[in-house]
Amino acid sequence: AMAGLLYIPLLAVALALAVRFIPRADVPQHLAGHPVFEQEELIPKDTRLKLLQNIRDMKTFMSNIDTAKSSGVIATHDHIGEAIPINADGTCSHQYLFPNNDRTRCILPERIDVGRHFIQTGGLDGVKESFDVLMDRVSSFARYKFNKDVAEFPVVRELFESENFQAAAKSVCPADQTYLDPFQFTFIINLPGQTVAAHLDAPYFWGANRFRFPQWLLVAMVFSDLFQDKFIHQIQVVGYLHEWPNGVNPQNGGDFVFHANSSYMGTVISKPGAGTIVDGSKVIHAAKIYRPEVVPPHLEKDKFSQLVHLEGDNWELRVADEVVQRYTTQDFRISMVYRARCFASAEEATRYATLPEEEMMTLENVLNTLQADLIKRGVTTQAKLDTMPKLDLAFLIIDTYIKYPLAPVEAAWMPYNYCAIPRAVPWTAPLFDLFC
């Protein structure tokens, strides 16, 4: 027995070394080395204050827990076949299935790739917290606007058309594709304690986009490198609109982080008025937790949550119409994101906008291409795929292709979030409650 006990410290050391040397980032070659620019004074102060007023005037911001709800976008195929009928009480029993837009079925949320990785790993901060707390940390509030809405926001139009902004935006497009085709701008509010988990932005291909397929599938297509001949380059400009108390950096997180390659993680402080310019559909990026000492209020996944502006700088967070927290505008981390596709010319942009149905990709073809590659890689066999439930296929695609980074060693020695285990294995809850 004594000899057996001697093995325990050896095993502990072996485990410590194994964890220490887990590769923290595995950025595929085709997603490495792309430009990221930062600009100190991208949004002039008077413009920023007008944009903050626009945000107050918009009154309500929905939780992004389900992008389809808040953007009004429902893809032609909002699932790949994993949908099951919703429970009689309007909930979904499976931990990763959420109500669809008309609340008749349970499907994978559009960004299951992002949420699930964040829960399993605790993100770039490597936090060890329960499923519910981590879901609340990534459930920020947003208003998605598309190109047709720009007319409602003269301040936004003026900013987008300014020379400085245009030059910044074009700096990330390929040199032979600097015609900008803007398609979306978004106002995003992070509550104290919230973050933006590591992700790629919704990609666009000739024949495939978020109006056609779930976003997680589009992201897997990018990571797989099997559809690059149809990939459309784009730019994302993130500008920060919030105020800093007394104009001083409060050093409380919320920094923009990007992975240039497997060994370099860049950080940009989210300074009011500053901006970051990147092709977010091919550079993995995230934010550190904003005010990490705060645990955000709980937003139940089967209930409707919104942030409502009252008057002046006062806001309420309502979950199913019940007020769960009050805030002021100064409490928030607020950003505006502008996105545009890069084309060679206006004609090419028009060709994209008017692409006939017969040139669009089909769900069957995309899945067949990925499945053939999974077999080629030795990940699975045709016989297994023939009987595999579609939910399992979705996770196999996500786990094989989508490689978001783990927390760097200096942030977390252990890069996996063991505190989320009880959600999947309930009987372990009493054990994990001791140290989670």
Side-chain angles (χ1 to χ4, degrees):
M2 202 59 202
L5 287 174
L6 289 173
Y7 285 116
I8 293 174
L10 286 173
L11 278 170
V13 170
L15 176 67
L17 285 170
V19 170
R20 173 73 179 76
F21 290 107
I22 290 170
R24 299 304 171 109
D26 177 14
V27 177
Q29 206 48 53
H30 67 289
L31 299 182
H34 300 298
V36 176
F37 296 110
E38 52 182 295
Q39 198 163 325
E40 284 269 311
E41 299 290 328
L42 183 72
I43 305 175
K45 184 163 186 181
D46 59 332
T47 305
R48 190 164 58 79
L49 296 178
K50 285 178 193 163
L51 289 167
L52 281 174
Q53 191 49 51
N54 282 162
I55 284 170
R56 293 184 194 95
D57 295 343
M58 278 188 264
K59 280 285 193 237
T60 57
F61 282 73
M62 295 184 200
S63 156
N64 71 359
I65 213 155
D66 173 357
T67 323
K69 274 197 301 229
S70 47
S71 64
V73 174
I74 305 165
T76 312
H77 303 281
D78 59 354
H79 63 93
I80 66 158
E82 81 280 356
I84 55 170
I86 201 163
N87 296 337
D89 64 357
T91 62
C92 296
S93 304
H94 189 286
Q95 64 170 335
Y96 287 124
L97 293 180
F98 283 57
N100 70 341
N101 204 55
D102 62 8
R103 304 187 84 81
T104 55
R105 291 175 305 178
C106 296
I107 62 173
L108 286 171
E110 287 230 51
R111 296 315 307 255
I112 183 64
D113 56 313
V114 177
R116 181 164 162 262
H117 176 267
F118 183 67
I119 286 156
Q120 290 172 344
T121 66
L124 290 177
D125 295 273
V127 292
K128 310 289 180 275
E129 292 176 327
S130 71
F131 178 96
D132 286 340
V133 172
L134 286 181
M135 282 304 291
D136 296 333
R137 287 207 186 276
V138 287
S139 302
S140 54
F141 293 80
R143 283 290 282 269
Y144 293 83
K145 298 287 176 185
F146 292 89
N147 211 21
K148 60 179 180 7
D149 305 315
V150 143
E152 294 170 41
F153 298 92
V155 192
V156 173
R157 193 176 67 225
E158 216 172 289
L159 174 67
F160 291 171
E161 288 171 359
S162 70
E163 228 167 286
N164 185 18
F165 193 94
Q166 286 283 312
K170 287 177 182 177
S171 63
V172 165
C173 287
D176 59 347
Q177 296 176 34
T178 56
Y179 177 83
L180 294 180
D181 177 30
F183 61 87
Q184 190 185 342
F185 64 102
T186 313
F187 295 101
I188 299 170
I189 298 178
N190 290 114
L191 306 178
Q194 290 191 329
T195 186
V196 180
H199 67 287
L200 283 183
D201 294 337
Y204 280 74
F205 296 89
W206 287 94
N209 56 38
R210 59 184 299 190
F211 298 95
R212 193 160 183 87
F213 299 140
Q215 289 184 46
W216 66 261
L217 181 62
L218 296 167
V219 170
M221 288 165 68
V222 172
F223 269 95
S224 77
D225 204 16
L226 298 168
F227 304 87
Q228 287 309 90
D229 57 323
K230 298 266 194 260
F231 180 77
I232 293 170
H233 298 279
Q234 55 169 278
I235 60 112
Q236 168 188 296
V237 182
V238 184
Y240 301 105
L241 306 181
H242 47 251
E243 291 286 339
W244 274 351
N246 314 317
V248 177
N249 179 2
Q251 301 286 336
N252 54 13
D255 301 347
F256 180 91
V257 172
F258 64 93
H259 291 269
N261 53 46
S262 295
S263 57
Y264 178 72
M265 185 174 95
T267 302
V268 180
I269 292 167
S270 51
K271 185 183 169 195
T276 313
I277 304 106
V278 61
D279 181 342
S281 67
K282 60 177 190 272
V283 175
I284 299 168
H285 57 287
K288 291 188 174 171
I289 297 175
Y290 166 60
R291 294 181 53 193
E293 74 286 355
V294 178
V295 174
H298 182 48
L299 311 177
E300 291 179 49
K301 77 176 174 105
D302 301 305
K303 289 184 179 169
F304 183 71
S305 308
Q306 58 180 347
L307 201 52
V308 181
H309 178 251
L310 304 173
E311 78 295 289
D313 276 318
N314 298 312
W315 296 74
E316 277 179 353
L317 172 59
R318 298 178 189 166
V319 177
D321 290 332
E322 189 183 321
V323 177
V324 294
Q325 188 80 281
R326 292 188 168 81
Y327 293 100
T328 68
T329 311
Q330 288 69 35
D331 291 325
F332 303 143
R333 175 189 187 267
I334 306 175
S335 50
M336 183 176 84
V337 181
Y338 163 93
R339 295 177 63 195
R341 288 175 286 259
C342 306
F343 287 119
S345 62
E347 293 70 40
E348 194 179 46
T350 303
R351 190 164 79 76
Y352 175 78
T354 55
L355 206 64
E357 179 59 35
E358 60 270 19
E359 286 184 44
M360 299 299 274
M361 294 187 204
T362 65
L363 180 62
E364 190 184 6
N365 273 356
V366 169
L367 292 178
N368 285 346
T369 303
L370 292 169
Q371 289 180 118
D373 187 60
L374 289 169
I375 294 167
K376 189 174 146 191
R377 287 168 175 239
V379 172
T380 187
T381 62
Q382 188 61 57
K384 283 182 183 163
L385 287 171
D386 289 342
T387 57
M388 188 178 287
K390 287 292 188 273
L391 185 60
D392 294 354
L393 174 62
F395 286 133
L396 185 63
I397 289 170
I398 290 168
D399 292 340
T400 304
Y401 296 110
I402 301 179
K403 301 286 185 205
Y404 292 132
L406 301 170
V409 174
E410 56 274 19
W413 167 77
M414 163 58 93
Y416 296 105
N417 175 30
Y418 43 74
C419 292
I421 291 173
R423 176 78 185 204
V425 191
W427 65 265
T428 63
L431 171 66
F432 285 101
D433 283 350
L434 298 173
F435 46 88
C436 286

